[in-house]
Amino acid sequence: YDFMVQGMGGLMSITGERDDLPGGGPQRVGIPIADIMTGMYATIAICAALAHRERSGTGQHLDLALLDTQVGILANQGMNYLATGVPPGRIGNAHPNIVPYQPFKTRDGDVILACGNDNLFNKFCEVAGCQHLARDGRFATNSKRVENREAITSLLAQIFAQRTTQEWCDTLEAAGVPNGPINDLKQVFEEPQVVARGMRIELEHPLAGKVPLIASPMRFSGTPLEYKAPPPTLGQHTDEVLRALLKISDADIGRLRASGVI
């Protein structure tokens, strides 16, 4: 039900291009973000409850809802509405409060430019050879760039089209200006940093041989993670759950299986 929650919780109203642009209209996020984030909040809540039980000896019931989570992660956009009373609209890949903070078309692809403050914008202008933009009163500060978003975006689009994505990434990286390509998933798992961090792993599976998996992003200095269990086969743990957790006898499990219940 993540899709519905993304709609009900406002996420789709701020995701996607404007209605008056090609492809405009509400869009869901490409992964079940409400489902995932509710699980993440649940782990935090469980850890907090366990810490409280350790001190007090008292357990408690945890109540988490998908819609609550979706509202809770509206972040700056939620506060933009609460502070102004005006619901923010969809602005595609642009940032509602920072300019330039969006992708631009290069000669052969796309690159994301993330100038989070005026100093970074000045650095960008220097390495991009457009120092005059940093001196232009319309663009000298972030607030003025937000005010003149369409003008600065149009000018930067012409500049970015002159070089390839890799050329821009190398130039901006050397200057300390936050940037990055827009990778497809093949490129993601070939990304040097992803490879260096070991985010792709392989495990032996009893039916499928060696299977590729995505590693956990958590790193523990004292208790490093070990990957031992591949994805389970269908019904692999049924008897274990029924026997150990529900205390159902082997005879009863046999009768449930014989009658087609399991």
Side-chain angles (χ1 to χ4, degrees):
Y1 304 112
D2 174 274
F3 193 174
M4 290 182 291
V5 171
Q6 287 192 35
M8 292 176 64
L11 183 59
M12 292 177 63
S13 76
I14 55 175
T15 304
E17 290 289 356
R18 298 196 321 250
D19 290 347
D20 60 331
L21 293 178
Q27 292 287 323
R28 69 174 181 86
V29 175
I31 58 171
I33 188 67
D35 285 348
I36 293 169
M37 289 305 300
T38 302
M40 296 297 289
Y41 273 116
T43 64
I44 297 170
I46 290 167
C47 288
L50 289 173
H52 178 263
R53 189 187 67 179
E54 183 68 22
R55 290 193 293 267
S56 68
T58 303
Q60 57 188 298
H61 177 261
L62 303 177
D63 178 3
L64 293 98
L66 292 179
L67 185 57
D68 292 354
T69 295
Q70 182 55 75
V71 174
I73 63 173
L74 288 175
N76 59 313
Q77 289 286 51
M79 290 309 302
N80 284 342
Y81 166 70
L82 293 177
T84 66
V86 178
R90 292 179 291 278
I91 55 174
N93 289 314
H95 193 289
N97 305 106
I98 304 173
V99 175
Y101 204 101
Q102 64 188 81
F104 289 95
K105 288 286 184 184
T106 66
R107 189 188 301 166
D108 63 350
D110 302 89
V111 65
I112 297 169
L113 175 66
C115 293
N117 53 52
D118 295 335
N119 179 53
L120 289 173
F121 180 68
N122 292 336
K123 283 186 176 182
F124 162 75
C125 289
E126 183 176 346
V127 298
C130 56
Q131 296 93 326
H132 62 285
L133 294 180
R135 296 191 295 268
D136 190 316
R138 297 173 298 167
F139 315 130
T141 65
N142 182 67
S143 60
K144 296 301 290 184
R145 291 192 295 275
V146 171
E147 183 180 327
N148 297 285
R149 180 190 298 271
E150 291 190 10
I152 186 64
T153 299
S154 177
L155 292 169
L156 293 181
Q158 298 174 39
I159 294 170
F160 272 97
Q162 298 173 12
R163 306 185 197 179
T164 67
T165 295
Q166 192 60 55
E167 288 172 339
W168 277 116
C169 288
D170 292 343
T171 299
L172 296 174
E173 181 72 21
V177 177
N179 73 94
I182 298 179
N183 290 331
D184 61 26
L185 292 196
K186 179 178 184 297
Q187 293 168 320
V188 167
F189 288 100
E190 294 173 349
E191 180 71 36
Q193 183 69 0
V194 173
V195 174
R197 296 286 288 177
M199 287 304 297
R200 174 178 172 143
I201 61 173
E202 291 184 338
L203 288 178
E204 289 291 341
H205 190 276
L207 299 181
K210 188 169 289 187
V211 294
L213 298 166
I214 298 175
S216 170
M218 296 184 291
R219 301 289 192 272
F220 296 87
S221 63
T223 56
L225 298 178
E226 296 183 23
Y227 300 97
K228 298 179 179 179
T233 57
L234 180 63
Q236 178 179 332
H237 300 103
T238 298
D239 287 7
E240 178 182 339
V241 170
L242 295 176
R243 186 183 300 114
L245 298 182
L246 299 183
K247 309 303 180 185
I248 297 178
S249 68
D250 288 346
D252 286 339
I253 291 175
R255 280 192 288 272
L256 290 171
R257 182 164 282 111
S259 62
V261 173
I262 59 173

